[in-house]
């Protein structure tokens, strides 16, 4: 009998709880988009972590928050569907912040989706681990208080403190995930991993745009990547208004030049080579409110 395990591990938490940063640290390269902007992660994204005794497919869900648009409603719904079909779940909450209403709402959602009451006690149907993230940003006393607060909030399978920057307890987390996933062969091969590169490249480029844009424009931006050959990438950049095109392009193409420069190191690490990059900036009017356009962009 093989000791190899495999399965889907949903990563959940409110916006900016450290989901994408954790995935990048575990994967050893930037594959998940992370920034200080809400809605940084849009839609379900899957990342395959191959370990000697395990293949863990991380499902990075959008941050579950109070939706303000049709897009927000769909992102919440997609996150909840991803959680309900997972083999294990990781709930993330930062060490340097109190357990707030958003955290408790997610814990309630986890209970609703993943637990059943038996003899008056709520029991998880799959392993649910609480990760107290960003331990490098908290004092020892703050971390101790946060750990106690999380342990008292639910009967988690385990509560573990981690840091994506110092790699504190990341090896322990890998071992824990390997032990919690069901026994079975690898679910994905090299070809499946290759097919995810275009989406990862799109996220890297969108990440490079975000610090250069202001107000609501970061939320109006969609980037889609198409391969034009072994080294050529075409990035189709969509905004909601005609007036936003000039902002995204910049005077004399200055913003696109900056995005190309800032994204290139991560693209090289992702692809293992230096790609050529082309941009097309298009308008998809009010796409966040348009069901057909949301379908086109993959937000179901």
């Amino acid at each position: 009998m093989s000791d190899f395990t495999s399965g889907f591990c949903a990563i959940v938490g409110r916006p900016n709880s450290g989901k994408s940063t954790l995935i990048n640290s575990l994967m050893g390269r930037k594959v998940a988009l992370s920034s200080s902007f809400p809605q940084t992660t849009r839609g379900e994204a899957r990342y395959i972590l191959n370990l000697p005794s395990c293949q863990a497919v991380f499902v990075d869900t959008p941050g579950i928050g109070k939706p303000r648009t049709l897009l927000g409603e769909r992102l919440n719904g997609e996150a909840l569907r991803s959680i309900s079909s997972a083999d294990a779940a990781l709930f993330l909450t930062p060490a340097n912040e109190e357990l707030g209403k958003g955290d408790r709402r997610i814990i309630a959602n986890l209970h609703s989706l993943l637990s059943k009451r038996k003899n008056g006690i709520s029991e998880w149907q799959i392993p649910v681990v609480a990760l107290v993230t960003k331990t490098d940003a908290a004092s020892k006393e703050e971390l101790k208080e946060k750990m106690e607060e999380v342990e008292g909030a639910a009967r988690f399978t385990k509560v573990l403190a981690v840091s994506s920057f110092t790699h504190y307890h990341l090896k322990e987390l890998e071992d824990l995930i390997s032990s919690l996933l069901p026994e079975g062969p690898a679910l994905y091969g090299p070809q499946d991993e290759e097919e995810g590169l275009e989406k990862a490249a799109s996220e890297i480029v969108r990440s490079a745009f975000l610090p250069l844009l202001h107000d609501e424009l970061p939320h109006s931006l969609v980037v889609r990547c198409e391969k034009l050959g072994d080294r050529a990438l075409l990035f189709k950049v969509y905004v909601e208004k005609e007036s936003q095109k000039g902002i995204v392009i910049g005077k004399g193409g200055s913003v696109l030049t900056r995005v190309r420069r800032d994204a290139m190191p991560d693209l090289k690490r992702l692809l293992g080579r230096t790609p050529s990059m082309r941009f097309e900036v298009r308008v998809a009017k009010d796409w966040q409110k348009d069901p057909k356009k949301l379908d086109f962009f993959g937000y179901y």
Side-chain angles (χ1 to χ4, degrees), residues 180-254:
L180 295 179
L181 291 178
E183 184 176 303
L187 302 172
Y188 294 99
Q191 180 61 34
D192 299 299
E193 296 180 50
E194 179 68 24
E195 290 175 357
L197 292 181
E198 290 182 15
K199 185 169 184 178
S202 299
E203 293 294 87
I204 288 171
V205 168
R206 189 162 70 91
S207 179
F209 269 110
L210 295 184
L212 308 178
L213 306 176
H214 303 286
D215 300 323
E216 292 301 312
L217 188 47
H219 304 291
S220 300
L221 195 73
V222 176
V223 178
R224 302 187 73 181
C225 174
E226 296 179 9
K227 293 182 70 175
L228 301 178
D230 289 340
R231 294 182 177 273
L233 300 176
L234 170 64
F235 292 96
K236 294 181 179 179
V237 182
Y238 294 86
V239 292
E240 290 190 292
K241 301 175 183 177
E242 189 70 33
S243 60
Q244 295 172 335
K245 287 179 64 176
I247 300 172
V248 168
I249 296 170
K251 186 176 181 180
S254 60

Side-chain angles (χ1 to χ4, degrees), residues 246-289:
I247 300 172
V248 168
I249 296 170
K251 186 176 181 180
S254 60
V255 172
L256 296 181
T257 298
R258 176 75 178 274
V259 167
R260 180 182 284 105
R261 186 195 72 189
D262 293 349
M264 187 61 73
D266 287 323
L267 288 174
K268 288 172 66 175
R269 281 191 287 270
L270 175 71
L271 303 171
R273 59 187 181 275
T274 302
S276 65
M277 300 170 62
R278 282 178 45 197
F279 293 95
E280 291 182 4
V281 181
R282 304 180 176 187
V283 176
K285 187 176 179 181
D286 296 329
W287 66 264
Q288 293 188 73
K289 303 175 183 178

Side-chain angles (χ1 to χ4, degrees), residues 32-54:
L33 189 155
S34 59
S35 81
S36 60
F37 292 95
Q39 261 189 35
T40 296
T41 299
R42 283 186 184 157
E44 176 191 285
R46 297 184 178 186
Y47 306 100
I48 303 167
L49 176 65
N50 290 302
L51 300 171
S53 62
C54 173

Side-chain angles (χ1 to χ4, degrees), residues 106-124:
I106 293 172
I107 292 173
N109 284 329
L110 288 173
H111 272 296
S112 175
L113 291 166
L114 302 177
S115 71
K116 292 183 179 179
R117 296 192 70 81
K118 185 177 181 181
N119 298 325
I121 299 175
S122 181
E123 295 184 355
W124 299 112

